[in-house]
Amino acid sequence: MSARRWLDSLLADGPVLTDGAWGTELQRQGLAPGEPADLWNTAYPDRVESVARAYVDAGSRIILTNTFGANRIALERYGAAGRVEEVNRAGVEISLRAAQGRARVFASMGPSGKMLLAGEVDEAVLAAGFCEQAGVLAAAGADGIVVETMTDLDEARIAVGAAVATGLPVVACMVFDSGPRGDRTMMGVTPPAAAVELSRAGAVAIGANCGAGIAAFAPLCAALAAATDRPIWIKANAGLPAMEKGQVTYRTGPEEFAAQVPALVQAGASFVGGCCGTTPAFIAAVRRVLDRERR
């Protein structure tokens, strides 16, 4: 079965519920600001697994892996460039244990943290880093790969190409929170332009994540859906972050978040979950809304 047909089979019963935030959930478990979450796969695997399992219990049909920043370039900042295989393999194994066949595991690949336009990294180095990470994720048994939270379309294209080469289904997500209307990437790319380019790169689903609260995502979703025949993947934040007593908080609650889901589905969302600040309670609330909409 082709990657696209395999993904379409997941959608046979309607929109698929994915998971919520990982970084903010690990912070609740004690991850310090600025500490690399990916290295917890080997330091505190039980804590990471508890996050994954909580999302499965909340109703997620797809969960990600704690491998967002586990490419060689990003790990190099922490002196861990030589641990790509160890960290990524552990991340996939943790999510597979948590899923226990009740959810698919799509491995997370995030940006390198370096800018092509500024000359901080070149395309060949990026491609090699993403190919290395994607290869480990596939070999470890991931069902698919999600290239997410990308702000540079060129970097996203390179990462998607590396992931597609594994033969796994690949989802490609950009952050749209810039420009006068908050509907462009940091580099000024529109949703339609991103959808066309990432579809051409081989992604079987196109999406948007992070950057803004869920109320901003229906127009983005509609714009993406109008530009591609690929299913649309949406993971919004729990509102914008705010500082309260020295702590980052998100003011949107689970029920308020979930109330926006019908509008996302109407706009074309096929996969719905949450990003920064969302918790298993958010995913459970979204599940209830989706169940109600199916009746």
Side-chain angles (χ1 to χ4, degrees):
M1 182 183 295
S2 70
R4 177 63 189 270
R5 287 180 60 196
W6 183 89
L7 201 63
D8 286 345
S9 70
L10 283 177
L11 296 167
D13 296 325
V16 172
L17 179 61
T18 64
D19 60 5
W22 282 72
T24 48
E25 283 301 283
L26 290 173
Q27 287 169 9
R28 295 173 191 270
Q29 301 254 15
L31 181 72
E35 184 181 1
D38 312 271
L39 300 186
W40 270 35
N41 291 342
T42 55
Y44 303 105
D46 291 346
R47 298 186 196 181
V48 177
E49 186 173 340
S50 71
V51 172
R53 187 180 302 108
Y55 284 128
V56 176
D57 291 343
S60 296
R61 293 178 59 199
I62 293 176
I63 60 171
L64 302 191
T65 58
N66 184 40
T67 54
F68 175 79
N71 61 77
R72 176 174 294 272
I73 302 163
L75 288 176
E76 187 176 22
R77 294 195 297 273
Y78 307 101
R83 298 180 61 188
V84 171
E85 181 169 2
E86 174 193 12
V87 171
N88 283 282
R89 180 172 294 279
V92 174
E93 291 173 349
I94 287 167
S95 286
L96 288 171
R97 285 198 303 271
Q100 294 185 330
R102 294 188 292 157
R104 301 284 188 175
V105 171
F106 276 37
S108 172
M109 287 176 53
S112 67
K114 294 191 175 183
M115 297 183 65
L116 276 166
L117 284 176
E120 295 174 349
V121 66
D122 63 37
E123 291 199 6
V125 171
L126 275 182
F130 286 132
C131 282
E132 178 185 30
Q133 183 184 17
V136 175
L137 295 171
D143 296 305
I145 294 175
V146 179
V147 174
E148 59 176 345
T149 324
M150 288 286 178
T151 58
D152 182 340
L153 184 56
D154 286 332
E155 182 175 19
R157 173 183 52 79
I158 293 167
V160 169
V164 167
T166 67
L168 292 178
V170 178
V171 179
C173 295
M174 303 292 296
V175 178
F176 299 98
D177 64 351
S178 299
R181 295 191 298 272
D183 61 351
R184 306 283 180 108
T185 69
M186 185 175 68
M187 305 297 184
V189 177
T190 65
V196 169
E197 184 68 21
L198 295 174
S199 297
R200 187 180 295 125
V204 297
I206 307 296
N209 76 291
C210 204
I214 193 168
F217 274 74
L220 295 175
C221 182
L224 289 167
T228 182
D229 63 349
R230 307 298 201 266
I232 304 301
W233 173 291
I234 298 292
K235 296 187 79 175
N237 288 350
L240 295 176
M243 291 296 294
E244 292 184 2
K245 299 179 180 178
Q247 298 291 322
V248 176
T249 62
Y250 292 83
R251 294 174 179 170
T252 300
E255 299 304 327
E256 181 183 357
F257 184 93
Q260 299 282 342
V261 167
L264 287 178
V265 175
Q266 183 68 28
S270 296
F271 298 88
V272 180
C275 204
C276 300
T278 61
T279 69
F282 281 71
I283 298 307
V286 173
R287 185 201 67 225
R288 291 191 291 271
V289 168
L290 291 176
D291 288 348
R292 186 169 65 244
E293 291 289 309
R294 288 192 183 102
R295 293 173 189 158

